[in-house]
Amino acid sequence: PARSDKKLELTYTQVLNAESGTVSYRYPLGTGRNVSQITGTVSGRVEIEGKDPVRNIYSPSHQIDLAHHGAKSARISFESEPGKEAQDFQLFYSLSREDFGLSLLTHREPGKDGYFLLLISPKDDWSEAEYAAKDIVFVLDTSGSMNEEGKMEKARAALLFGIRSLHPEDRFNVISFAGEERLMEKNLINANDDGRAEGVKFVSALKPNGGTNINDSLRAALRQFEKGDRPRMVVFMTDGLPTVGETNVNHIVENVRDERVDGVRLFTFGVGYDVNTALLDRLASDNGGVADYVEPKENLEVKVSNFFAKVNYPVLTNLRLDLGDVQTDLIYPRSMPDLFKGAQLALIGRYRNEGELRSVRALLTGRAGQSTRSFAYENLRFPLKEDDHDFLPRLWATRRVGWLMEQIRSNGEQKELRDEIVDLGTRYGIVTPYTSYLALEQGAAAQADAPSNGINFSGGQTGVVRQESAQRRPSPPMSRPMATAMPKDVSRVSTGEAAVQMSKRARAQQDATRVERDDEAPSTVVRSVGGKTFYLREGVWTDAEFKADTGKPETTLTFGSDAYFALLKDKPRLAEFFSLGERLVVVYEGRIYRVNAATP
């Protein structure tokens, strides 16, 4: 009937590509450049059945929800966000009977460094005897400010959950601090029934009162540990700035460094906005941990309890990875974290080699239970050319930017770090505090008002500008902010809502496993295609890598000509870039390709 719905169901069979043990699947959702944008949402469900256990489930394109994960099956769901340009759904997974499954994805343009992503995940069916017994010290701020907004009760509930979930073979202690530190016991105690009961009693009796002595509480916590092979960690929660005892941030960091025992990881939680993010970030990064923040709108109990649930099951610690003859650099995370049950480690970096490496042997070593174990992975391939997985360069750049931002926030701004952030943000279309304004083509945004303060247009070939005070140049392109303006000197912003947001953004970038599309980037003037970023300049889509007078050979084509289609037949990879429009400039395989519109 008219205006009724018709349901269409398509059934088809497809042979999926598996490379280095990793299965790849792509479901086309992109509508093309000349088709109206989808205004609703697209949702999907994927069910995987394998003869071997399903491992390393990963999507670089969509946020996926792992609804079910059995030994040899998995059910995944995803949903696109309304108003965003649709993109193809990509999914990778591997089948492995090993205790730790490994997947490898690579991308490399000829003549350039390659990029790789290694995914490592443990099996699901670990026995209690296989978990590594750990030592953990909980440190809780009980200053007077914790009494506000119910923070103390939520922190108490989270801490009680952490204590009750410990294994009998674990050891632990609890330290509360305000003006001075208070230890539950002089040394670590066993987390048996009696030990956990003592911990519950101690935490239940805590009351908020006094100032904030961060320095002495951390030193007392680190003195609890001795050298050994057990996983060791400190979980530190505070809602304020250091106000009692040593208050100098650099001195606190130095004192913690002096007390630290090798192998101890420090995880910090800042509650609210009245915390020193520079201090908490640096304490975590210098001691093999991660800093996280609980904003006023977030549930402290839920967030910290989820963390405890994760770290309660370490299955491989003190990890080391040897990739044989492959030359690698700038791998993120910079230090390999421990692996926990249900977690997945994603390592991304660059590689180079003179010849084709088709049979690389990777060796993963770590501490499992009471012994050191090694796991070998054969026949991994690091090619000289790989067109697939073109999201890897931008994903690597995102992690690199996050790491650089953390260095600036912890150690102060340096020109070299700032310039590299600007270059990466420009080349890969990543929003940073130094590339927060986008130069629009004249007339592209007639209603946009240029910022009242002067701005310096850096990298004129790309159109990305820095927020710096400077003399306005004659007739610049119109500009408008891509996001809320960030402070200029980010290294000096250490407390308050802006500081927490910047720290969380830098951490999210360092942990990124998929390329985010920034809502603020106007689709009419900037596009990310095939791992490259293009800016619309004077009606020409221009590759961010393009720079005039570089001496690169150049090929000029007319859109739709015989030479145009002959080139696409010879180099199909260019079709993705050429689909942007009739006028563009792209740098590919060391050559500049310039396409001009056909003469009417």
Side-chain angles (χ1 to χ4, degrees):
R3 296 188 177 88
S4 64
D5 294 333
K6 183 69 175 179
K7 180 180 178 180
L8 300 179
E9 182 173 312
L10 306 179
T11 302
Y12 68 96
T13 301
Q14 177 181 348
V15 178
L16 301 182
N17 179 53
E19 184 176 322
S20 295
T22 302
V23 181
S24 62
Y25 173 67
R26 179 188 289 263
Y27 187 84
L29 288 173
T31 56
R33 299 299 175 188
N34 299 317
V35 181
S36 298
Q37 181 175 324
I38 294 176
T39 56
T41 61
V42 178
S43 60
R45 186 181 69 205
V46 179
E47 296 182 2
I48 303 174
E49 299 284 346
K51 294 182 178 180
D52 293 323
V54 180
R55 311 284 278 279
N56 297 325
I57 300 171
Y58 167 64
S59 173
S61 59
H62 290 71
Q63 183 70 46
I64 59 175
D65 179 32
L66 196 58
H68 167 72
H69 192 187
K72 297 181 180 181
S73 65
R75 185 169 66 248
I76 302 129
S77 62
F78 70 91
E79 184 172 326
S80 65
E81 297 184 35
K84 286 192 173 183
E85 185 178 352
Q87 57 179 326
D88 292 355
F89 173 72
Q90 291 180 270
L91 184 70
F92 299 92
Y93 66 91
S94 62
L95 302 174
S96 174
R97 297 183 182 180
E98 301 291 335
D99 286 348
F100 296 90
L102 181 144
S103 296
L104 171 67
L105 304 177
T106 60
H107 176 81
R108 189 170 188 178
E109 187 177 331
K112 295 185 178 181
D113 288 345
Y115 298 85
F116 71 91
L117 173 66
L118 271 175
L119 300 171
I120 304 172
S121 62
K123 64 182 183 181
D124 291 322
D125 53 340
W126 293 88
S127 66
E128 287 293 325
E130 290 180 288
Y131 293 121
K134 61 184 177 296
D135 293 340
I136 184 169
V137 177
F138 304 100
V139 185
L140 177 63
D141 183 350
T142 56
S143 60
S145 59
M146 285 291 288
N147 202 31
E148 301 171 359
E149 302 174 353
K151 288 185 287 188
M152 186 64 202
E153 292 309 311
K154 293 177 182 178
R156 190 199 314 276
L159 190 50
L160 289 174
F161 173 84
I163 293 172
R164 288 169 175 152
S165 61
L166 293 172
H167 302 293
E169 298 79 14
D170 297 334
R171 297 183 300 189
F172 79 105
N173 204 348
V174 182
I175 298 176
S176 67
F177 72 96
E180 59 184 29
E181 73 279 6
R182 179 187 172 203
L183 280 68
M184 179 185 73
E185 289 288 344
K186 183 178 180 180
N187 298 306
L188 297 172
I189 63 172
N190 292 324
N192 51 27
D193 291 342
D194 292 339
R196 293 196 300 273
E198 181 179 349
V200 170
K201 181 179 179 181
F202 180 82
V203 172
S204 298
L206 294 177
K207 297 184 182 301
N209 184 37
T212 308
N213 192 332
I214 291 177
N215 182 76
D216 291 350
S217 62
L218 283 174
R219 295 182 69 182
L222 292 169
R223 289 170 183 161
Q224 295 286 303
F225 300 100
E226 300 175 351
K227 292 184 178 180
D229 295 324
R230 296 165 67 103
R232 289 156 294 173
M233 64 188 76
V234 175
V235 180
F236 179 80
M237 289 183 283
T238 182
D239 77 329
L241 307 172
T243 59
V244 178
E246 181 61 70
T247 59
N248 183 284
V249 169
N250 291 328
H251 292 169
I252 295 175
V253 171
E254 292 170 0
N255 292 338
V256 168
R257 185 184 299 118
D258 292 340
E259 297 287 354
R260 182 175 183 262
V261 177
D262 287 344
V264 175
R265 299 188 183 277
L266 175 57
F267 298 89
T268 61
F269 283 89
V271 182
Y273 295 137
D274 295 328
V275 293
N276 189 316
T277 60
L279 172 62
L280 298 184
D281 288 352
R282 192 169 173 187
L283 287 171
S285 63
D286 287 356
N287 296 278
V290 174
D292 203 353
Y293 296 90
V294 185
E295 297 186 63
K297 63 178 180 290
E298 295 180 295
N299 190 309
L300 168 64
E301 179 183 352
V302 171
K303 192 164 190 177
V304 179
S305 296
N306 287 341
F307 168 80
F308 287 149
K310 168 190 170 183
V311 301
N312 201 39
Y313 298 94
V315 292
L316 195 66
T317 61
N318 301 325
L319 275 66
R320 298 188 303 276
L321 181 66
D322 183 358
L323 291 176
D325 295 333
V326 183
Q327 301 177 43
T328 62
D329 70 347
L330 300 180
I331 300 176
Y332 298 96
R334 295 298 290 163
S335 59
M336 293 183 67
D338 297 334
L339 260 176
F340 301 92
K341 177 186 176 182
Q344 181 169 278
L345 173 60
L347 295 173
I348 186 166
R350 300 190 307 189
Y351 74 91
R352 65 178 63 88
N353 43 280
E354 299 300 329
E356 188 84 10
L357 296 178
R358 294 181 175 274
S359 185
V360 174
R361 182 177 188 266
L363 185 66
L364 177 67
T365 304
R367 187 81 180 176
Q370 301 298 316
S371 60
T372 298
R373 298 181 61 188
S374 296
F375 307 89
Y377 305 90
E378 309 287 348
N379 301 320
L380 301 180
R381 180 172 173 264
F382 287 81
L384 293 176
K385 179 182 178 181
E386 176 60 75
D387 289 337
D388 291 338
H389 317 135
D390 54 28
F391 61 88
L392 288 179
R394 191 180 181 205
L395 185 58
W396 171 86
T398 299
R399 288 201 176 189
R400 174 71 176 166
V401 165
W403 184 83
L404 291 171
M405 285 302 306
E406 182 177 277
Q407 301 310 300
I408 286 179
R409 288 174 45 75
S410 298
N411 305 310
E413 185 176 274
Q414 301 176 33
K415 182 179 184 301
E416 294 80 6
L417 301 182
R418 184 189 65 208
D419 289 348
E420 185 175 356
I421 291 173
V422 171
D423 177 65
L424 292 172
T426 297
R427 199 185 330 161
Y428 295 101
I430 302 169
V431 175
T432 77
Y434 300 103
T435 56
S436 294
Y437 284 93
L438 182 72
L440 305 184
E441 182 186 13
Q442 285 282 8
Q447 302 301 319
D449 294 324
S452 58
N453 59 309
I455 50 177
N456 175 32
F457 289 80
S458 66
Q461 297 297 332
T462 63
V464 171
V465 300
R466 288 204 304 265
Q467 298 181 69
E468 293 185 357
S469 177
Q471 181 66 37
R472 186 180 299 276
R473 296 184 181 181
S475 302
M478 298 183 68
S479 307
R480 82 188 217 358
M482 293 179 68
T484 301
M486 304 285 278
K488 175 187 170 184
D489 190 350
V490 296
S491 64
R492 295 183 182 178
V493 181
S494 59
T495 189
E497 182 176 358
V500 170
Q501 295 291 347
M502 282 191 288
S503 178
K504 292 180 72 171
R505 182 176 181 85
R507 170 49 50 188
Q509 288 177 324
Q510 291 184 72
D511 294 338
T513 54
R514 65 191 184 97
V515 175
E516 296 284 355
R517 291 192 172 191
D518 294 298
D519 293 335
E520 302 86 0
S523 61
T524 56
V525 294
V526 59
R527 295 269 179 85
S528 293
V529 177
K532 287 179 171 290
T533 301
F534 290 82
Y535 296 92
L536 189 62
R537 301 180 60 247
E538 299 180 357
V540 179
W541 286 107
T542 306
D543 189 344
E545 291 187 46
F546 170 74
K547 293 181 180 179
D549 303 324
T550 58
K552 286 186 171 69
E554 183 170 324
T555 297
T556 301
L557 303 160
T558 299
F559 177 80
S561 65
D562 291 343
Y564 176 92
F565 288 111
L567 177 64
L568 291 180
K569 183 177 180 179
D570 183 52
K571 296 184 180 295
R573 169 78 170 149
L574 287 172
E576 192 169 8
F577 309 129
F578 283 14
S579 67
L580 279 169
E582 298 183 12
R583 302 177 64 197
L584 77 143
V585 176
V586 61
V587 181
Y588 181 67
E589 294 186 351
R591 176 177 288 272
I592 299 170
Y593 293 92
R594 188 185 300 272
V595 178
N596 297 321
T599 303

